Amino acid sequence: MKQKNTNENSKATALTHDEIKAILKEFDNNKFEISEQMQIAVVIMAVFGLRPSELLALKVRDISLEEGVIQLSTSFQVPIPECALQLFEQLIELADGSDYLFPNPKSNANPLPISAMSYVIRKLVPSFKLYSLRYSFARYLNSKDVEPRIVSKSLNQKTNRNVLLNFDYLEQRREIHEALFKALMPSATKTQTLTMRGIL
């Protein structure tokens, strides 16, 4: 079951790529104060535009490394570009047998609460809002003149206004995620081995 988002989303604003990179750099400079899972979570929300509730509800079984997709629901998939697959491999390993990709440290039978993720990140970046990453993703799509129906599908928006929205546009969306990943993580794309330590 997805968690409810906090009211912080009403105060969130889109971040620039430089601002997102600065946040990731702050994490790297304080690697003993924030877990690798938290760092990866920020990258995933920035690259895929997932809602915090969607991200934290993910289970290991929802990730298909072979097909390169996230099964976000029974009827909706998020394509994973090849360059980002290792992030999910790391998360599965870090889950350490939990069903959840982001398990609660107090009980790995439950997902990490949104409030806990927000609290940990804000200790390093006080002004940070989780929903800012989704807004940043939406702004990126608009800046690239992505077709409205692909924007709606990429953001997993519910609408019946256009029957064309029933198409998945998986490959088009995969290309979008790949371009955004490479823009935010240029150093990571130049190496065979991707870790969250010292990639910026």
Side-chain angles (χ1 to χ4, degrees), residues 123-136:
K123 286 198 299 183
L124 293 179
V125 187
S127 62
F128 182 80
K129 304 288 190 301
L130 290 175
Y131 237 81
S132 292
L133 298 169
R134 180 169 169 83
Y135 293 161
S136 302

PDB file of all heavy atoms in Angstrom, residues 123-136:
ATOM      1  N   LYS A 123      18.528  16.842   7.091  1.00  0.00           N
ATOM      2  CA  LYS A 123      19.624  17.092   8.026  1.00  0.00           C
ATOM      3  C   LYS A 123      20.836  17.655   7.294  1.00  0.00           C
ATOM      4  O   LYS A 123      21.613  18.420   7.851  1.00  0.00           O
ATOM      5  CB  LYS A 123      19.992  15.805   8.770  1.00  0.00           C
ATOM      6  CG  LYS A 123      18.991  15.403   9.833  1.00  0.00           C
ATOM      7  CD  LYS A 123      19.580  14.411  10.838  1.00  0.00           C
ATOM      8  CE  LYS A 123      20.024  13.129  10.179  1.00  0.00           C
ATOM      9  NZ  LYS A 123      20.531  12.151  11.196  1.00  0.00           N
ATOM     10  N   LEU A 124      20.989  17.249   6.030  1.00  0.00           N
ATOM     11  CA  LEU A 124      22.108  17.741   5.224  1.00  0.00           C
ATOM     12  C   LEU A 124      21.703  18.915   4.342  1.00  0.00           C
ATOM     13  O   LEU A 124      22.499  19.824   4.089  1.00  0.00           O
ATOM     14  CB  LEU A 124      22.651  16.610   4.349  1.00  0.00           C
ATOM     15  CG  LEU A 124      23.337  15.453   5.074  1.00  0.00           C
ATOM     16  CD1 LEU A 124      23.790  14.401   4.075  1.00  0.00           C
ATOM     17  CD2 LEU A 124      24.512  15.953   5.889  1.00  0.00           C
ATOM     18  N   VAL A 125      20.454  18.878   3.842  1.00  0.00           N
ATOM     19  CA  VAL A 125      19.957  19.937   2.952  1.00  0.00           C
ATOM     20  C   VAL A 125      18.611  20.414   3.522  1.00  0.00           C
ATOM     21  O   VAL A 125      17.554  19.921   3.135  1.00  0.00           O
ATOM     22  CB  VAL A 125      19.781  19.428   1.509  1.00  0.00           C
ATOM     23  CG1 VAL A 125      19.439  20.590   0.561  1.00  0.00           C
ATOM     24  CG2 VAL A 125      21.024  18.695   1.033  1.00  0.00           C
ATOM     25  N   PRO A 126      18.641  21.371   4.463  1.00  0.00           N
ATOM     26  CA  PRO A 126      17.426  21.758   5.194  1.00  0.00           C
ATOM     27  C   PRO A 126      16.259  22.209   4.327  1.00  0.00           C
ATOM     28  O   PRO A 126      15.098  22.004   4.701  1.00  0.00           O
ATOM     29  CB  PRO A 126      17.920  22.905   6.094  1.00  0.00           C
ATOM     30  CG  PRO A 126      19.378  22.623   6.277  1.00  0.00           C
ATOM     31  CD  PRO A 126      19.841  22.058   4.978  1.00  0.00           C
ATOM     32  N   SER A 127      16.536  22.797   3.191  1.00  0.00           N
ATOM     33  CA  SER A 127      15.459  23.331   2.354  1.00  0.00           C
ATOM     34  C   SER A 127      14.874  22.290   1.398  1.00  0.00           C
ATOM     35  O   SER A 127      13.941  22.596   0.652  1.00  0.00           O
ATOM     36  CB  SER A 127      15.972  24.519   1.539  1.00  0.00           C
ATOM     37  OG  SER A 127      17.021  24.109   0.668  1.00  0.00           O
ATOM     38  N   PHE A 128      15.401  21.071   1.436  1.00  0.00           N
ATOM     39  CA  PHE A 128      15.017  20.062   0.450  1.00  0.00           C
ATOM     40  C   PHE A 128      13.579  19.594   0.619  1.00  0.00           C
ATOM     41  O   PHE A 128      13.107  19.357   1.728  1.00  0.00           O
ATOM     42  CB  PHE A 128      15.955  18.861   0.553  1.00  0.00           C
ATOM     43  CG  PHE A 128      15.677  17.774  -0.451  1.00  0.00           C
ATOM     44  CD1 PHE A 128      16.126  17.892  -1.755  1.00  0.00           C
ATOM     45  CD2 PHE A 128      14.952  16.651  -0.093  1.00  0.00           C
ATOM     46  CE1 PHE A 128      15.873  16.899  -2.686  1.00  0.00           C
ATOM     47  CE2 PHE A 128      14.692  15.652  -1.010  1.00  0.00           C
ATOM     48  CZ  PHE A 128      15.152  15.781  -2.313  1.00  0.00           C
ATOM     49  N   LYS A 129      12.879  19.458  -0.501  1.00  0.00           N
ATOM     50  CA  LYS A 129      11.525  18.902  -0.533  1.00  0.00           C
ATOM     51  C   LYS A 129      11.534  17.728  -1.513  1.00  0.00           C
ATOM     52  O   LYS A 129      11.971  17.857  -2.653  1.00  0.00           O
ATOM     53  CB  LYS A 129      10.507  19.947  -1.003  1.00  0.00           C
ATOM     54  CG  LYS A 129      10.496  21.233  -0.184  1.00  0.00           C
ATOM     55  CD  LYS A 129       9.883  21.028   1.177  1.00  0.00           C
ATOM     56  CE  LYS A 129       9.648  22.352   1.900  1.00  0.00           C
ATOM     57  NZ  LYS A 129      10.879  23.145   2.106  1.00  0.00           N
ATOM     58  N   LEU A 130      11.049  16.582  -1.076  1.00  0.00           N
ATOM     59  CA  LEU A 130      11.065  15.392  -1.933  1.00  0.00           C
ATOM     60  C   LEU A 130      10.359  15.624  -3.258  1.00  0.00           C
ATOM     61  O   LEU A 130      10.811  15.179  -4.309  1.00  0.00           O
ATOM     62  CB  LEU A 130      10.415  14.215  -1.200  1.00  0.00           C
ATOM     63  CG  LEU A 130      11.180  13.622  -0.014  1.00  0.00           C
ATOM     64  CD1 LEU A 130      10.335  12.546   0.656  1.00  0.00           C
ATOM     65  CD2 LEU A 130      12.518  13.049  -0.452  1.00  0.00           C
ATOM     66  N   TYR A 131       9.235  16.318  -3.212  1.00  0.00           N
ATOM     67  CA  TYR A 131       8.437  16.504  -4.424  1.00  0.00           C
ATOM     68  C   TYR A 131       9.120  17.423  -5.436  1.00  0.00           C
ATOM     69  O   TYR A 131       8.721  17.466  -6.606  1.00  0.00           O
ATOM     70  CB  TYR A 131       7.053  17.036  -4.065  1.00  0.00           C
ATOM     71  CG  TYR A 131       5.932  16.154  -4.568  1.00  0.00           C
ATOM     72  CD1 TYR A 131       5.563  15.013  -3.876  1.00  0.00           C
ATOM     73  CD2 TYR A 131       5.255  16.430  -5.752  1.00  0.00           C
ATOM     74  CE1 TYR A 131       4.549  14.190  -4.332  1.00  0.00           C
ATOM     75  CE2 TYR A 131       4.241  15.616  -6.218  1.00  0.00           C
ATOM     76  CZ  TYR A 131       3.894  14.502  -5.510  1.00  0.00           C
ATOM     77  OH  TYR A 131       2.898  13.689  -5.968  1.00  0.00           O
ATOM     78  N   SER A 132      10.144  18.155  -5.011  1.00  0.00           N
ATOM     79  CA  SER A 132      10.871  19.023  -5.947  1.00  0.00           C
ATOM     80  C   SER A 132      11.460  18.221  -7.097  1.00  0.00           C
ATOM     81  O   SER A 132      11.588  18.715  -8.222  1.00  0.00           O
ATOM     82  CB  SER A 132      11.982  19.785  -5.214  1.00  0.00           C
ATOM     83  OG  SER A 132      11.453  20.725  -4.313  1.00  0.00           O
ATOM     84  N   LEU A 133      11.823  16.975  -6.834  1.00  0.00           N
ATOM     85  CA  LEU A 133      12.441  16.150  -7.868  1.00  0.00           C
ATOM     86  C   LEU A 133      11.436  15.768  -8.944  1.00  0.00           C
ATOM     87  O   LEU A 133      11.774  15.707 -10.128  1.00  0.00           O
ATOM     88  CB  LEU A 133      13.062  14.907  -7.231  1.00  0.00           C
ATOM     89  CG  LEU A 133      14.183  15.209  -6.230  1.00  0.00           C
ATOM     90  CD1 LEU A 133      14.551  13.958  -5.449  1.00  0.00           C
ATOM     91  CD2 LEU A 133      15.395  15.787  -6.932  1.00  0.00           C
ATOM     92  N   ARG A 134      10.196  15.531  -8.552  1.00  0.00           N
ATOM     93  CA  ARG A 134       9.146  15.228  -9.539  1.00  0.00           C
ATOM     94  C   ARG A 134       8.848  16.476 -10.369  1.00  0.00           C
ATOM     95  O   ARG A 134       8.677  16.390 -11.594  1.00  0.00           O
ATOM     96  CB  ARG A 134       7.887  14.742  -8.834  1.00  0.00           C
ATOM     97  CG  ARG A 134       6.738  14.393  -9.790  1.00  0.00           C
ATOM     98  CD  ARG A 134       5.633  13.664  -9.047  1.00  0.00           C
ATOM     99  NE  ARG A 134       4.412  13.535  -9.829  1.00  0.00           N
ATOM    100  CZ  ARG A 134       4.187  12.601 -10.737  1.00  0.00           C
ATOM    101  NH1 ARG A 134       5.134  11.718 -11.012  1.00  0.00           N
ATOM    102  NH2 ARG A 134       3.043  12.535 -11.385  1.00  0.00           N
ATOM    103  N   TYR A 135       8.794  17.618  -9.725  1.00  0.00           N
ATOM    104  CA  TYR A 135       8.568  18.863 -10.464  1.00  0.00           C
ATOM    105  C   TYR A 135       9.720  19.145 -11.414  1.00  0.00           C
ATOM    106  O   TYR A 135       9.518  19.645 -12.523  1.00  0.00           O
ATOM    107  CB  TYR A 135       8.407  20.035  -9.490  1.00  0.00           C
ATOM    108  CG  TYR A 135       7.155  19.972  -8.642  1.00  0.00           C
ATOM    109  CD1 TYR A 135       7.046  20.707  -7.470  1.00  0.00           C
ATOM    110  CD2 TYR A 135       6.064  19.179  -8.995  1.00  0.00           C
ATOM    111  CE1 TYR A 135       5.899  20.668  -6.680  1.00  0.00           C
ATOM    112  CE2 TYR A 135       4.926  19.119  -8.226  1.00  0.00           C
ATOM    113  CZ  TYR A 135       4.850  19.863  -7.069  1.00  0.00           C
ATOM    114  OH  TYR A 135       3.715  19.812  -6.299  1.00  0.00           O
ATOM    115  N   SER A 136      10.936  18.824 -10.988  1.00  0.00           N
ATOM    116  CA  SER A 136      12.111  19.026 -11.849  1.00  0.00           C
ATOM    117  C   SER A 136      12.025  18.133 -13.087  1.00  0.00           C
ATOM    118  O   SER A 136      12.363  18.560 -14.198  1.00  0.00           O
ATOM    119  CB  SER A 136      13.391  18.708 -11.072  1.00  0.00           C
ATOM    120  OG  SER A 136      13.494  19.507  -9.922  1.00  0.00           O
TER     121      SER A 136
END
